[in-house]
Amino acid sequence: MNSLRLLNLTVLLVSVALVGCDSVDSEDNTTTTSDGVLHSAFAEFDSNNVSVVLSGSEVIIETNGLPNHTSPYWSSEHELFVEPTVTTYQKMAPGDIDDFVGTYTLTVSSSPEKATNSSSTGLGAIGIAVSGSVIYNDEEGPGIPLDGAIGSLDFNGAHTGPQSFHYHLEPISFSDDDSNLIGVISDGFFLYGRKCNSTGTYPTDLDESGGHTAQTQHSESEEYHYHIENEVYLGSYYILFPGNYQGTASAIR
């Protein structure tokens, strides 16, 4: 385990200790507390930007909304600023990442279940990524597809506005045609890259939301989770989450 992962896990365990830690299984990074078990996937979240606390049967995830990787959307003085490549200064959305400083909190079940009926995602944040920034769906406005804004997205499929720096497309800084963890969606289910860790290939049994039940690198048994669907959008892109929530979603505030 590298030093960064150890740091992330250490901070995560300190956060969980606030609600009482009984034992830690170092083999699978699963933390058992007096309230239950915190899913080991949460150890993947950048602890500099995201805190995760288990409280009873709920998981409270709080982020500062900032990414941990480079982008042309950082101000030019920021150490993570890079010149635009897939977009241009003329096409970029207004505002730097530095301008969108604030906290976002999501509370989900520690054992999410599929709902009887799916529900639409709507606008705004629909999930929190492992980097610290938030996840949006495939719309740029009410009933407005992402097509017209595609030119403003950086190489991680992200841009600013109206309230945050956020991802619409596959974020290649931490997941590029692989099975890496992207983040957690507002219904408590995890979102992974285009490939399935259990098979090493693109899953063919995904439902209309890009979800299926299978083992992941963070679970010893099969569990429901989402994938970025391996369907090309506008010739070369992959949308993070174009479907409905399959669980009961909570608002990100």
Side-chain angles (χ1 to χ4, degrees):
M1 183 179 291
N2 60 38
S3 59
L4 178 59
R5 179 65 60 80
L6 284 171
L7 176 61
N8 287 351
L9 181 57
T10 299
V11 176
L12 179 64
L13 297 183
V14 170
S15 296
V16 173
L18 295 175
V19 293
C21 182
D22 294 333
S23 63
V24 177
D25 186 343
S26 59
E27 291 298 316
D28 63 2
N29 295 344
T30 298
T31 303
T32 303
T33 76
S34 57
D35 291 323
V37 177
L38 184 66
H39 200 293
S40 63
F42 285 114
E44 296 278 354
F45 287 71
D46 189 326
S47 60
N48 292 315
N49 294 336
V50 184
S51 68
V52 183
V53 175
L54 181 66
S55 178
S57 61
E58 295 180 328
V59 181
I60 303 170
I61 308 143
E62 184 174 278
T63 179
N64 59 18
L66 304 179
N68 60 2
H69 53 70
T70 59
S71 173
Y73 277 103
W74 287 106
S75 64
S76 58
E77 297 81 15
H78 198 280
E79 62 181 354
L80 293 177
F81 167 79
V82 292
E83 296 285 342
T85 52
V86 300
T87 185
T88 65
Y89 287 118
Q90 291 74 27
K91 293 181 179 179
M92 287 172 61
D96 297 325
I97 293 173
D98 317 50
D99 300 329
F100 295 88
V101 177
T103 59
Y104 297 86
T105 302
L106 170 64
T107 300
V108 299
S109 171
S110 60
S111 301
E113 297 180 353
K114 294 183 70 176
T116 303
N117 298 304
S118 65
S119 57
S120 60
T121 53
L123 300 177
I126 64 166
I128 296 176
V130 296
S131 68
S133 291
V134 292
I135 297 168
Y136 274 39
N137 67 10
D138 59 343
E139 291 187 334
E140 186 57 21
I144 302 174
L146 189 60
D147 305 36
I150 206 78
S152 69
L153 303 179
D154 68 9
F155 55 90
N156 279 298
H159 61 181
T160 53
Q163 299 171 326
S164 65
F165 175 81
H166 56 270
Y167 307 103
H168 288 283
L169 307 177
E170 182 179 45
I172 63 174
S173 284
F174 51 96
S175 182
D176 185 9
D177 193 18
D178 52 40
S179 62
N180 291 353
L181 180 66
I182 306 296
V184 62
I185 298 300
S186 294
D187 58 6
F189 294 121
F190 293 105
L191 171 65
Y192 288 86
R194 286 186 275 146
K195 291 182 178 178
C196 184
N197 182 76
S198 62
T199 62
T201 59
Y202 307 113
T204 58
D205 59 344
L206 300 180
D207 60 27
E208 62 271 20
S209 298
H212 72 161
T213 300
Q215 188 174 357
T216 74
Q217 61 267 44
H218 301 111
S219 63
E220 296 182 354
S221 59
E222 293 186 340
E223 64 180 26
Y224 184 81
H225 58 276
Y226 300 113
H227 284 278
I228 303 175
E229 292 185 82
N230 193 45
E231 296 182 4
V232 180
Y233 172 69
L234 295 180
S236 57
Y237 308 104
Y238 297 92
I239 292 175
L240 280 179
F241 197 81
N244 289 346
Y245 296 120
Q246 291 297 314
T248 303
S250 299
I252 298 179
R253 305 184 186 280

